[in-house]
Amino acid sequence: MISSLLRRTALPLIAGVGLLGGTLAAGSAQAADEPLRFGIISTESSTNQATQWQPFLDDMSDALGVKVEPFFATDYAAVIQAMRFDKIDLAWYGNKSAMEAVDRASGEIFAQTVAANGAPGYWSLMIVNQDSPYNDVQDILANASKLTFGNGDPNSTSGYLVPGYYVFAKNHVDPNTAFKRTLNANHETNALTVANGQVDVATFNTESMERLEITHPDKAAQLKVIWKSPLIPSDPLVWRTNLPQQTKDELRQFFLGYGDTDEQKAILEPLQWSGFAASDNDQLLPIRQLELFKQRAQVAADDSLDASAKQQQLAELDARLDALNQRMEARDAAQADHTTAMVD
C-alpha cells in the first residue's frame, strides 16, 4: 500500500558496547544480565535525543525485564556499522540507513513509526533563510556557484537520498561541484545554520521542522521552504536477524502494543509518534527504486563514459528497475487480495 500510494502521489520514492551473548541459543530469551543496545541515528545533538528517548527505553526495559541501553553516534554510518558488528541489537533508522543496515549489517525491519499527527509518512524539504531572495529550486541551481549548501548525512533519506534524486539528479546537477561549498550535517544543524545565515540553502524535513518549531521557534520562523518532496514512508525499526527468536517476539509485542495508554502517549509525544505498526523489508522497495532512478540519472548524464559502456550500465539498471517494479506490483496485488478477503 505504501508503494502504490507513492506511485499515485508522485514519481515513486523510490532513517560502552553491549552484545547479546554468543552463547544464547537461537530460541532462548534475552538473558537478564545482558543489556539490549538500541541504536539511534543522529538527527540532532545526542544530548537532546537522550532526553527524548530515555523514558521510552525505560519502559522497554521494564517490559522486557532487561536493561536497554541507547547507542548514540555522530553520524548514521556508525549506527549501521555497530549493527554490522553486533554492537547493537536493534535501531531506529531512516529508510535509506535501514536499507544499508538490511543489505550490509544483517538487519531486518519489523516495525515502523506512526506519526502523532496521523501523517502516513513525512517529506523532505529544501530551506533557505526567510530573507533569502531565492524562492524555488531553479533559483538555487541558477546561483549555485556562489552559494553554500548544507547537505544531509549521506545515509539520510530525507536529507540526502530524496533531494539527491528529485532536486539534483533529475536536473543533471552534482551538488558536490555545483555549489561554492557543500557541507554535510544532521537536520538540526542544517536548519540552525540556515536560520543564522551561515549556510545559504540546506536539506531538511517536515518532522524536524515540527520539532524545531517546539525547541527553537525563533529559528524556525527564520526559515523559508522552497521545495517539498513526495511522501517518504515512516521510519523503520530494525533488529539483527541473529537475535534469539524469543527476544524478537518480545520486542514485536512491546512495540506493536505501545502507545495505548495516556502515559505511553505522553512518552511518545517528544518523539512525535503515536505508536508503531508492523512492517518488513518490503517497506524499502520504493526507496530502492529511488536509489536506482538516481543512479540511472547519474549514468545518463556522465559524458566521461563511452557510448557502449553507458548503454550497458543503463541496460543493467533498467533490468534491476524492471525486477523491482515486478516485486512492487506483486506486493500491491497481494495486499489488495488480502484487503478484499477481509471485507468479504
Side-chain angles (χ1 to χ4, degrees), residues 15 43 76 94-97 122-126 151-153 155-164 187 190 202-208 227 229 232 235 287 290:
T43 57
Y76 291 28
N95 285 279
K96 186 179 187 299
S97 50
Y122 63 110
W123 292 264
S124 174
L125 303 173
M126 292 284 284
N151 208 351
D153 186 293
N155 286 302
S156 170
T157 308
S158 61
Y160 193 91
L161 177 62
V162 172
H187 301 307
N190 274 348
T203 63
F204 203 36
N205 69 48
T206 52
E207 290 183 335
S208 295
W227 174 81
S229 76
I232 302 171
D235 290 340
I287 306 303
L290 176 57

PDB file of all heavy atoms in Angstrom, residues 15 43 76 94-97 122-126 151-153 155-164 187 190 202-208 227 229 232 235 287 290:
ATOM      1  N   ALA A  15      16.220   6.729   7.151  1.00  0.00           N
ATOM      2  CA  ALA A  15      16.107   6.890   8.636  1.00  0.00           C
ATOM      3  C   ALA A  15      16.659   6.757   8.504  1.00  0.00           C
ATOM      4  O   ALA A  15      16.302   7.805   7.836  1.00  0.00           O
ATOM      5  CB  ALA A  15      15.730   6.486   8.856  1.00  0.00           C
ATOM      6  N   THR A  43      19.911  12.726  14.369  1.00  0.00           N
ATOM      7  CA  THR A  43      19.147  13.774  13.689  1.00  0.00           C
ATOM      8  C   THR A  43      19.346  15.138  14.346  1.00  0.00           C
ATOM      9  O   THR A  43      19.069  16.168  13.739  1.00  0.00           O
ATOM     10  CB  THR A  43      17.649  13.445  13.688  1.00  0.00           C
ATOM     11  OG1 THR A  43      17.210  13.258  15.052  1.00  0.00           O
ATOM     12  CG2 THR A  43      17.382  12.157  12.908  1.00  0.00           C
ATOM     13  N   TYR A  76      25.107   8.555  10.810  1.00  0.00           N
ATOM     14  CA  TYR A  76      24.298   7.366  10.586  1.00  0.00           C
ATOM     15  C   TYR A  76      25.169   6.133  10.359  1.00  0.00           C
ATOM     16  O   TYR A  76      24.817   5.021  10.770  1.00  0.00           O
ATOM     17  CB  TYR A  76      23.398   7.559   9.357  1.00  0.00           C
ATOM     18  CG  TYR A  76      22.278   8.558   9.496  1.00  0.00           C
ATOM     19  CD1 TYR A  76      22.356   9.651  10.349  1.00  0.00           C
ATOM     20  CD2 TYR A  76      21.130   8.427   8.738  1.00  0.00           C
ATOM     21  CE1 TYR A  76      21.325  10.572  10.441  1.00  0.00           C
ATOM     22  CE2 TYR A  76      20.079   9.335   8.826  1.00  0.00           C
ATOM     23  CZ  TYR A  76      20.194  10.413   9.684  1.00  0.00           C
ATOM     24  OH  TYR A  76      19.176  11.314   9.786  1.00  0.00           O
ATOM     25  N   GLY A  94      16.308   5.870   9.473  1.00  0.00           N
ATOM     26  CA  GLY A  94      15.537   6.341   8.349  1.00  0.00           C
ATOM     27  C   GLY A  94      15.530   5.238   7.302  1.00  0.00           C
ATOM     28  O   GLY A  94      16.219   4.214   7.438  1.00  0.00           O
ATOM     29  N   ASN A  95      14.780   5.431   6.234  1.00  0.00           N
ATOM     30  CA  ASN A  95      14.655   4.369   5.241  1.00  0.00           C
ATOM     31  C   ASN A  95      15.963   4.058   4.531  1.00  0.00           C
ATOM     32  O   ASN A  95      16.290   2.896   4.310  1.00  0.00           O
ATOM     33  CB  ASN A  95      13.575   4.730   4.226  1.00  0.00           C
ATOM     34  CG  ASN A  95      12.178   4.578   4.778  1.00  0.00           C
ATOM     35  OD1 ASN A  95      11.635   3.486   4.823  1.00  0.00           O
ATOM     36  ND2 ASN A  95      11.588   5.673   5.225  1.00  0.00           N
ATOM     37  N   LYS A  96      16.735   5.071   4.157  1.00  0.00           N
ATOM     38  CA  LYS A  96      17.991   4.799   3.465  1.00  0.00           C
ATOM     39  C   LYS A  96      18.985   4.100   4.373  1.00  0.00           C
ATOM     40  O   LYS A  96      19.648   3.141   3.973  1.00  0.00           O
ATOM     41  CB  LYS A  96      18.616   6.076   2.905  1.00  0.00           C
ATOM     42  CG  LYS A  96      19.862   5.788   2.055  1.00  0.00           C
ATOM     43  CD  LYS A  96      20.464   7.047   1.470  1.00  0.00           C
ATOM     44  CE  LYS A  96      21.589   6.720   0.498  1.00  0.00           C
ATOM     45  NZ  LYS A  96      22.703   5.991   1.129  1.00  0.00           N
ATOM     46  N   SER A  97      19.118   4.571   5.604  1.00  0.00           N
ATOM     47  CA  SER A  97      20.044   3.908   6.527  1.00  0.00           C
ATOM     48  C   SER A  97      19.546   2.510   6.878  1.00  0.00           C
ATOM     49  O   SER A  97      20.356   1.581   7.073  1.00  0.00           O
ATOM     50  CB  SER A  97      20.249   4.749   7.794  1.00  0.00           C
ATOM     51  OG  SER A  97      19.028   5.158   8.368  1.00  0.00           O
ATOM     52  N   TYR A 122       6.462  11.286   5.924  1.00  0.00           N
ATOM     53  CA  TYR A 122       6.952  12.651   6.079  1.00  0.00           C
ATOM     54  C   TYR A 122       7.555  13.109   4.753  1.00  0.00           C
ATOM     55  O   TYR A 122       7.543  12.362   3.767  1.00  0.00           O
ATOM     56  CB  TYR A 122       7.965  12.737   7.221  1.00  0.00           C
ATOM     57  CG  TYR A 122       9.236  11.928   7.026  1.00  0.00           C
ATOM     58  CD1 TYR A 122      10.452  12.557   6.799  1.00  0.00           C
ATOM     59  CD2 TYR A 122       9.221  10.533   7.067  1.00  0.00           C
ATOM     60  CE1 TYR A 122      11.619  11.826   6.612  1.00  0.00           C
ATOM     61  CE2 TYR A 122      10.374   9.797   6.894  1.00  0.00           C
ATOM     62  CZ  TYR A 122      11.567  10.447   6.661  1.00  0.00           C
ATOM     63  OH  TYR A 122      12.720   9.711   6.481  1.00  0.00           O
ATOM     64  N   TRP A 123       8.066  14.331   4.709  1.00  0.00           N
ATOM     65  CA  TRP A 123       8.513  14.919   3.460  1.00  0.00           C
ATOM     66  C   TRP A 123       9.880  15.564   3.632  1.00  0.00           C
ATOM     67  O   TRP A 123      10.175  16.187   4.654  1.00  0.00           O
ATOM     68  CB  TRP A 123       7.517  15.979   2.983  1.00  0.00           C
ATOM     69  CG  TRP A 123       6.192  15.416   2.558  1.00  0.00           C
ATOM     70  CD1 TRP A 123       5.799  15.105   1.288  1.00  0.00           C
ATOM     71  CD2 TRP A 123       5.079  15.085   3.402  1.00  0.00           C
ATOM     72  NE1 TRP A 123       4.521  14.598   1.286  1.00  0.00           N
ATOM     73  CE2 TRP A 123       4.044  14.573   2.582  1.00  0.00           C
ATOM     74  CE3 TRP A 123       4.840  15.153   4.782  1.00  0.00           C
ATOM     75  CZ2 TRP A 123       2.824  14.152   3.071  1.00  0.00           C
ATOM     76  CZ3 TRP A 123       3.625  14.728   5.290  1.00  0.00           C
ATOM     77  CH2 TRP A 123       2.631  14.232   4.434  1.00  0.00           C
ATOM     78  N   SER A 124      10.708  15.419   2.620  1.00  0.00           N
ATOM     79  CA  SER A 124      11.985  16.126   2.558  1.00  0.00           C
ATOM     80  C   SER A 124      11.730  17.571   2.137  1.00  0.00           C
ATOM     81  O   SER A 124      10.797  17.861   1.380  1.00  0.00           O
ATOM     82  CB  SER A 124      12.900  15.432   1.554  1.00  0.00           C
ATOM     83  OG  SER A 124      14.090  16.170   1.359  1.00  0.00           O
ATOM     84  N   LEU A 125      12.580  18.478   2.627  1.00  0.00           N
ATOM     85  CA  LEU A 125      12.445  19.898   2.316  1.00  0.00           C
ATOM     86  C   LEU A 125      13.786  20.476   1.874  1.00  0.00           C
ATOM     87  O   LEU A 125      14.846  19.969   2.244  1.00  0.00           O
ATOM     88  CB  LEU A 125      11.980  20.682   3.550  1.00  0.00           C
ATOM     89  CG  LEU A 125      10.674  20.270   4.227  1.00  0.00           C
ATOM     90  CD1 LEU A 125      10.488  21.065   5.520  1.00  0.00           C
ATOM     91  CD2 LEU A 125       9.484  20.453   3.291  1.00  0.00           C
ATOM     92  N   MET A 126      13.706  21.554   1.111  1.00  0.00           N
ATOM     93  CA  MET A 126      14.858  22.432   0.892  1.00  0.00           C
ATOM     94  C   MET A 126      14.485  23.766   1.523  1.00  0.00           C
ATOM     95  O   MET A 126      13.382  24.296   1.277  1.00  0.00           O
ATOM     96  CB  MET A 126      15.144  22.606  -0.594  1.00  0.00           C
ATOM     97  CG  MET A 126      15.633  21.340  -1.281  1.00  0.00           C
ATOM     98  SD  MET A 126      17.362  20.933  -0.932  1.00  0.00           S
ATOM     99  CE  MET A 126      18.193  22.130  -1.960  1.00  0.00           C
ATOM    100  N   ASN A 151      24.089  19.959   2.910  1.00  0.00           N
ATOM    101  CA  ASN A 151      23.520  18.666   2.554  1.00  0.00           C
ATOM    102  C   ASN A 151      23.347  17.828   3.817  1.00  0.00           C
ATOM    103  O   ASN A 151      23.919  18.139   4.867  1.00  0.00           O
ATOM    104  CB  ASN A 151      24.426  17.945   1.553  1.00  0.00           C
ATOM    105  CG  ASN A 151      23.679  16.984   0.649  1.00  0.00           C
ATOM    106  OD1 ASN A 151      22.493  16.725   0.864  1.00  0.00           O
ATOM    107  ND2 ASN A 151      24.341  16.460  -0.356  1.00  0.00           N
ATOM    108  N   GLY A 152      22.583  16.731   3.716  1.00  0.00           N
ATOM    109  CA  GLY A 152      22.358  15.874   4.869  1.00  0.00           C
ATOM    110  C   GLY A 152      23.414  14.810   5.016  1.00  0.00           C
ATOM    111  O   GLY A 152      24.361  14.714   4.228  1.00  0.00           O
ATOM    112  N   ASP A 153      23.266  13.999   6.040  1.00  0.00           N
ATOM    113  CA  ASP A 153      24.120  12.824   6.221  1.00  0.00           C
ATOM    114  C   ASP A 153      23.960  11.927   4.994  1.00  0.00           C
ATOM    115  O   ASP A 153      22.849  11.710   4.520  1.00  0.00           O
ATOM    116  CB  ASP A 153      23.691  12.077   7.489  1.00  0.00           C
ATOM    117  CG  ASP A 153      24.604  10.929   7.840  1.00  0.00           C
ATOM    118  OD1 ASP A 153      24.627   9.940   7.069  1.00  0.00           O
ATOM    119  OD2 ASP A 153      25.278  10.997   8.877  1.00  0.00           O
ATOM    120  N   ASN A 155      23.724   8.935   4.595  1.00  0.00           N
ATOM    121  CA  ASN A 155      22.805   7.817   4.798  1.00  0.00           C
ATOM    122  C   ASN A 155      21.408   8.272   5.206  1.00  0.00           C
ATOM    123  O   ASN A 155      20.585   7.453   5.620  1.00  0.00           O
ATOM    124  CB  ASN A 155      23.369   6.848   5.850  1.00  0.00           C
ATOM    125  CG  ASN A 155      24.508   6.017   5.309  1.00  0.00           C
ATOM    126  OD1 ASN A 155      24.349   5.307   4.323  1.00  0.00           O
ATOM    127  ND2 ASN A 155      25.671   6.124   5.922  1.00  0.00           N
ATOM    128  N   SER A 156      21.150   9.567   5.080  1.00  0.00           N
ATOM    129  CA  SER A 156      19.828  10.095   5.415  1.00  0.00           C
ATOM    130  C   SER A 156      18.906  10.011   4.206  1.00  0.00           C
ATOM    131  O   SER A 156      19.291  10.364   3.086  1.00  0.00           O
ATOM    132  CB  SER A 156      19.943  11.546   5.878  1.00  0.00           C
ATOM    133  OG  SER A 156      18.667  12.150   5.989  1.00  0.00           O
ATOM    134  N   THR A 157      17.678   9.576   4.440  1.00  0.00           N
ATOM    135  CA  THR A 157      16.693   9.509   3.362  1.00  0.00           C
ATOM    136  C   THR A 157      16.251  10.913   2.948  1.00  0.00           C
ATOM    137  O   THR A 157      16.383  11.311   1.791  1.00  0.00           O
ATOM    138  CB  THR A 157      15.458   8.709   3.810  1.00  0.00           C
ATOM    139  OG1 THR A 157      15.867   7.451   4.334  1.00  0.00           O
ATOM    140  CG2 THR A 157      14.514   8.476   2.628  1.00  0.00           C
ATOM    141  N   SER A 158      15.730  11.675   3.894  1.00  0.00           N
ATOM    142  CA  SER A 158      15.177  12.998   3.570  1.00  0.00           C
ATOM    143  C   SER A 158      16.250  14.060   3.402  1.00  0.00           C
ATOM    144  O   SER A 158      16.041  15.046   2.698  1.00  0.00           O
ATOM    145  CB  SER A 158      14.194  13.432   4.667  1.00  0.00           C
ATOM    146  OG  SER A 158      14.862  13.532   5.921  1.00  0.00           O
ATOM    147  N   GLY A 159      17.395  13.858   4.063  1.00  0.00           N
ATOM    148  CA  GLY A 159      18.443  14.867   3.994  1.00  0.00           C
ATOM    149  C   GLY A 159      19.387  14.695   2.824  1.00  0.00           C
ATOM    150  O   GLY A 159      20.118  15.626   2.474  1.00  0.00           O
ATOM    151  N   TYR A 160      19.367  13.507   2.189  1.00  0.00           N
ATOM    152  CA  TYR A 160      20.362  13.236   1.155  1.00  0.00           C
ATOM    153  C   TYR A 160      19.783  12.496  -0.056  1.00  0.00           C
ATOM    154  O   TYR A 160      19.826  12.984  -1.180  1.00  0.00           O
ATOM    155  CB  TYR A 160      21.512  12.418   1.763  1.00  0.00           C
ATOM    156  CG  TYR A 160      22.740  12.326   0.903  1.00  0.00           C
ATOM    157  CD1 TYR A 160      23.761  13.268   1.019  1.00  0.00           C
ATOM    158  CD2 TYR A 160      22.916  11.281  -0.001  1.00  0.00           C
ATOM    159  CE1 TYR A 160      24.911  13.185   0.245  1.00  0.00           C
ATOM    160  CE2 TYR A 160      24.050  11.184  -0.784  1.00  0.00           C
ATOM    161  CZ  TYR A 160      25.059  12.139  -0.649  1.00  0.00           C
ATOM    162  OH  TYR A 160      26.189  12.055  -1.425  1.00  0.00           O
ATOM    163  N   LEU A 161      19.218  11.308   0.181  1.00  0.00           N
ATOM    164  CA  LEU A 161      18.783  10.483  -0.945  1.00  0.00           C
ATOM    165  C   LEU A 161      17.667  11.140  -1.749  1.00  0.00           C
ATOM    166  O   LEU A 161      17.738  11.239  -2.978  1.00  0.00           O
ATOM    167  CB  LEU A 161      18.325   9.117  -0.439  1.00  0.00           C
ATOM    168  CG  LEU A 161      17.767   8.162  -1.502  1.00  0.00           C
ATOM    169  CD1 LEU A 161      18.839   7.834  -2.539  1.00  0.00           C
ATOM    170  CD2 LEU A 161      17.223   6.891  -0.864  1.00  0.00           C
ATOM    171  N   VAL A 162      16.609  11.566  -1.075  1.00  0.00           N
ATOM    172  CA  VAL A 162      15.442  12.107  -1.776  1.00  0.00           C
ATOM    173  C   VAL A 162      15.772  13.412  -2.519  1.00  0.00           C
ATOM    174  O   VAL A 162      15.513  13.520  -3.727  1.00  0.00           O
ATOM    175  CB  VAL A 162      14.263  12.281  -0.802  1.00  0.00           C
ATOM    176  CG1 VAL A 162      13.117  13.026  -1.469  1.00  0.00           C
ATOM    177  CG2 VAL A 162      13.787  10.914  -0.314  1.00  0.00           C
ATOM    178  N   PRO A 163      16.362  14.418  -1.858  1.00  0.00           N
ATOM    179  CA  PRO A 163      16.738  15.608  -2.632  1.00  0.00           C
ATOM    180  C   PRO A 163      17.829  15.301  -3.652  1.00  0.00           C
ATOM    181  O   PRO A 163      17.894  15.948  -4.698  1.00  0.00           O
ATOM    182  CB  PRO A 163      17.215  16.604  -1.567  1.00  0.00           C
ATOM    183  CG  PRO A 163      17.558  15.772  -0.379  1.00  0.00           C
ATOM    184  CD  PRO A 163      16.625  14.608  -0.410  1.00  0.00           C
ATOM    185  N   GLY A 164      18.673  14.307  -3.359  1.00  0.00           N
ATOM    186  CA  GLY A 164      19.710  13.934  -4.306  1.00  0.00           C
ATOM    187  C   GLY A 164      19.144  13.497  -5.637  1.00  0.00           C
ATOM    188  O   GLY A 164      19.735  13.753  -6.695  1.00  0.00           O
ATOM    189  N   HIS A 187      20.014  17.127  10.573  1.00  0.00           N
ATOM    190  CA  HIS A 187      18.897  18.012  10.239  1.00  0.00           C
ATOM    191  C   HIS A 187      18.894  19.288  11.085  1.00  0.00           C
ATOM    192  O   HIS A 187      18.711  20.394  10.553  1.00  0.00           O
ATOM    193  CB  HIS A 187      17.564  17.271  10.433  1.00  0.00           C
ATOM    194  CG  HIS A 187      17.438  16.030   9.609  1.00  0.00           C
ATOM    195  ND1 HIS A 187      17.636  16.021   8.256  1.00  0.00           N
ATOM    196  CD2 HIS A 187      17.119  14.753   9.950  1.00  0.00           C
ATOM    197  CE1 HIS A 187      17.451  14.800   7.789  1.00  0.00           C
ATOM    198  NE2 HIS A 187      17.139  14.015   8.802  1.00  0.00           N
ATOM    199  N   ASN A 190      21.664  21.710  10.043  1.00  0.00           N
ATOM    200  CA  ASN A 190      21.339  22.362   8.772  1.00  0.00           C
ATOM    201  C   ASN A 190      20.362  23.518   8.975  1.00  0.00           C
ATOM    202  O   ASN A 190      20.532  24.609   8.428  1.00  0.00           O
ATOM    203  CB  ASN A 190      20.750  21.341   7.795  1.00  0.00           C
ATOM    204  CG  ASN A 190      21.820  20.595   7.030  1.00  0.00           C
ATOM    205  OD1 ASN A 190      22.989  20.968   7.046  1.00  0.00           O
ATOM    206  ND2 ASN A 190      21.430  19.526   6.351  1.00  0.00           N
ATOM    207  N   ALA A 202      19.735  24.503   2.460  1.00  0.00           N
ATOM    208  CA  ALA A 202      20.027  23.211   3.074  1.00  0.00           C
ATOM    209  C   ALA A 202      18.836  22.268   2.936  1.00  0.00           C
ATOM    210  O   ALA A 202      17.705  22.698   2.681  1.00  0.00           O
ATOM    211  CB  ALA A 202      20.375  23.381   4.556  1.00  0.00           C
ATOM    212  N   THR A 203      19.116  20.990   3.116  1.00  0.00           N
ATOM    213  CA  THR A 203      18.054  19.990   3.169  1.00  0.00           C
ATOM    214  C   THR A 203      17.499  19.933   4.590  1.00  0.00           C
ATOM    215  O   THR A 203      18.179  20.249   5.561  1.00  0.00           O
ATOM    216  CB  THR A 203      18.569  18.605   2.763  1.00  0.00           C
ATOM    217  OG1 THR A 203      19.576  18.170   3.704  1.00  0.00           O
ATOM    218  CG2 THR A 203      19.166  18.626   1.358  1.00  0.00           C
ATOM    219  N   PHE A 204      16.244  19.489   4.700  1.00  0.00           N
ATOM    220  CA  PHE A 204      15.567  19.408   5.993  1.00  0.00           C
ATOM    221  C   PHE A 204      14.396  18.455   5.803  1.00  0.00           C
ATOM    222  O   PHE A 204      14.261  17.833   4.739  1.00  0.00           O
ATOM    223  CB  PHE A 204      15.108  20.810   6.408  1.00  0.00           C
ATOM    224  CG  PHE A 204      14.890  21.020   7.875  1.00  0.00           C
ATOM    225  CD1 PHE A 204      15.695  20.416   8.812  1.00  0.00           C
ATOM    226  CD2 PHE A 204      13.858  21.846   8.324  1.00  0.00           C
ATOM    227  CE1 PHE A 204      15.504  20.631  10.175  1.00  0.00           C
ATOM    228  CE2 PHE A 204      13.655  22.073   9.668  1.00  0.00           C
ATOM    229  CZ  PHE A 204      14.476  21.462  10.592  1.00  0.00           C
ATOM    230  N   ASN A 205      13.528  18.305   6.784  1.00  0.00           N
ATOM    231  CA  ASN A 205      12.307  17.519   6.578  1.00  0.00           C
ATOM    232  C   ASN A 205      11.194  18.033   7.480  1.00  0.00           C
ATOM    233  O   ASN A 205      11.426  18.813   8.404  1.00  0.00           O
ATOM    234  CB  ASN A 205      12.564  16.016   6.766  1.00  0.00           C
ATOM    235  CG  ASN A 205      12.857  15.622   8.190  1.00  0.00           C
ATOM    236  OD1 ASN A 205      12.154  16.004   9.118  1.00  0.00           O
ATOM    237  ND2 ASN A 205      13.917  14.834   8.389  1.00  0.00           N
ATOM    238  N   THR A 206       9.977  17.582   7.196  1.00  0.00           N
ATOM    239  CA  THR A 206       8.808  18.114   7.902  1.00  0.00           C
ATOM    240  C   THR A 206       8.783  17.700   9.370  1.00  0.00           C
ATOM    241  O   THR A 206       8.343  18.472  10.227  1.00  0.00           O
ATOM    242  CB  THR A 206       7.510  17.664   7.219  1.00  0.00           C
ATOM    243  OG1 THR A 206       7.521  16.229   7.054  1.00  0.00           O
ATOM    244  CG2 THR A 206       7.362  18.314   5.852  1.00  0.00           C
ATOM    245  N   GLU A 207       9.238  16.488   9.690  1.00  0.00           N
ATOM    246  CA  GLU A 207       9.266  16.069  11.092  1.00  0.00           C
ATOM    247  C   GLU A 207      10.220  16.939  11.900  1.00  0.00           C
ATOM    248  O   GLU A 207       9.905  17.365  13.021  1.00  0.00           O
ATOM    249  CB  GLU A 207       9.676  14.600  11.189  1.00  0.00           C
ATOM    250  CG  GLU A 207       8.632  13.620  10.684  1.00  0.00           C
ATOM    251  CD  GLU A 207       9.055  12.185  10.855  1.00  0.00           C
ATOM    252  OE1 GLU A 207      10.270  11.921  10.901  1.00  0.00           O
ATOM    253  OE2 GLU A 207       8.171  11.322  10.944  1.00  0.00           O
ATOM    254  N   SER A 208      11.404  17.188  11.332  1.00  0.00           N
ATOM    255  CA  SER A 208      12.380  18.020  12.036  1.00  0.00           C
ATOM    256  C   SER A 208      11.912  19.469  12.123  1.00  0.00           C
ATOM    257  O   SER A 208      12.225  20.167  13.091  1.00  0.00           O
ATOM    258  CB  SER A 208      13.738  17.939  11.330  1.00  0.00           C
ATOM    259  OG  SER A 208      14.263  16.626  11.404  1.00  0.00           O
ATOM    260  N   TRP A 227      11.106  23.961  -1.417  1.00  0.00           N
ATOM    261  CA  TRP A 227      10.825  22.707  -2.133  1.00  0.00           C
ATOM    262  C   TRP A 227      10.366  21.654  -1.128  1.00  0.00           C
ATOM    263  O   TRP A 227      10.864  21.598  -0.004  1.00  0.00           O
ATOM    264  CB  TRP A 227      12.066  22.210  -2.875  1.00  0.00           C
ATOM    265  CG  TRP A 227      11.902  20.861  -3.525  1.00  0.00           C
ATOM    266  CD1 TRP A 227      11.309  20.592  -4.725  1.00  0.00           C
ATOM    267  CD2 TRP A 227      12.322  19.596  -2.989  1.00  0.00           C
ATOM    268  NE1 TRP A 227      11.338  19.232  -4.974  1.00  0.00           N
ATOM    269  CE2 TRP A 227      11.957  18.603  -3.929  1.00  0.00           C
ATOM    270  CE3 TRP A 227      12.976  19.217  -1.812  1.00  0.00           C
ATOM    271  CZ2 TRP A 227      12.216  17.252  -3.725  1.00  0.00           C
ATOM    272  CZ3 TRP A 227      13.241  17.869  -1.600  1.00  0.00           C
ATOM    273  CH2 TRP A 227      12.862  16.907  -2.557  1.00  0.00           C
ATOM    274  N   SER A 229       9.238  17.395  -1.086  1.00  0.00           N
ATOM    275  CA  SER A 229       9.313  16.153  -1.854  1.00  0.00           C
ATOM    276  C   SER A 229       7.982  15.402  -1.868  1.00  0.00           C
ATOM    277  O   SER A 229       7.053  15.754  -1.133  1.00  0.00           O
ATOM    278  CB  SER A 229      10.362  15.233  -1.230  1.00  0.00           C
ATOM    279  OG  SER A 229       9.853  14.626  -0.037  1.00  0.00           O
ATOM    280  N   ILE A 232       7.509  10.279   1.918  1.00  0.00           N
ATOM    281  CA  ILE A 232       8.511   9.284   2.308  1.00  0.00           C
ATOM    282  C   ILE A 232       7.861   8.369   3.353  1.00  0.00           C
ATOM    283  O   ILE A 232       7.228   8.860   4.294  1.00  0.00           O
ATOM    284  CB  ILE A 232       9.750   9.954   2.922  1.00  0.00           C
ATOM    285  CG1 ILE A 232      10.370  10.939   1.916  1.00  0.00           C
ATOM    286  CG2 ILE A 232      10.772   8.908   3.347  1.00  0.00           C
ATOM    287  CD1 ILE A 232      11.463  11.801   2.523  1.00  0.00           C
ATOM    288  N   ASP A 235       9.536   6.059   9.383  1.00  0.00           N
ATOM    289  CA  ASP A 235      10.817   5.445   9.741  1.00  0.00           C
ATOM    290  C   ASP A 235      10.660   4.005  10.234  1.00  0.00           C
ATOM    291  O   ASP A 235       9.738   3.693  10.993  1.00  0.00           O
ATOM    292  CB  ASP A 235      11.490   6.256  10.842  1.00  0.00           C
ATOM    293  CG  ASP A 235      11.977   7.602  10.342  1.00  0.00           C
ATOM    294  OD1 ASP A 235      12.133   7.761   9.128  1.00  0.00           O
ATOM    295  OD2 ASP A 235      12.205   8.485  11.193  1.00  0.00           O
ATOM    296  N   ILE A 287      12.162   2.881  -1.800  1.00  0.00           N
ATOM    297  CA  ILE A 287      13.446   3.539  -1.546  1.00  0.00           C
ATOM    298  C   ILE A 287      14.509   2.955  -2.470  1.00  0.00           C
ATOM    299  O   ILE A 287      15.342   3.682  -3.029  1.00  0.00           O
ATOM    300  CB  ILE A 287      13.861   3.369  -0.076  1.00  0.00           C
ATOM    301  CG1 ILE A 287      12.738   3.854   0.850  1.00  0.00           C
ATOM    302  CG2 ILE A 287      15.159   4.128   0.211  1.00  0.00           C
ATOM    303  CD1 ILE A 287      12.307   5.280   0.630  1.00  0.00           C
ATOM    304  N   LEU A 290      13.995   4.441  -5.846  1.00  0.00           N
ATOM    305  CA  LEU A 290      14.527   5.796  -5.913  1.00  0.00           C
ATOM    306  C   LEU A 290      16.040   5.785  -6.069  1.00  0.00           C
ATOM    307  O   LEU A 290      16.607   6.542  -6.867  1.00  0.00           O
ATOM    308  CB  LEU A 290      14.131   6.574  -4.660  1.00  0.00           C
ATOM    309  CG  LEU A 290      14.693   7.992  -4.510  1.00  0.00           C
ATOM    310  CD1 LEU A 290      14.323   8.844  -5.699  1.00  0.00           C
ATOM    311  CD2 LEU A 290      14.199   8.620  -3.225  1.00  0.00           C
TER     312      LEU A 290
END
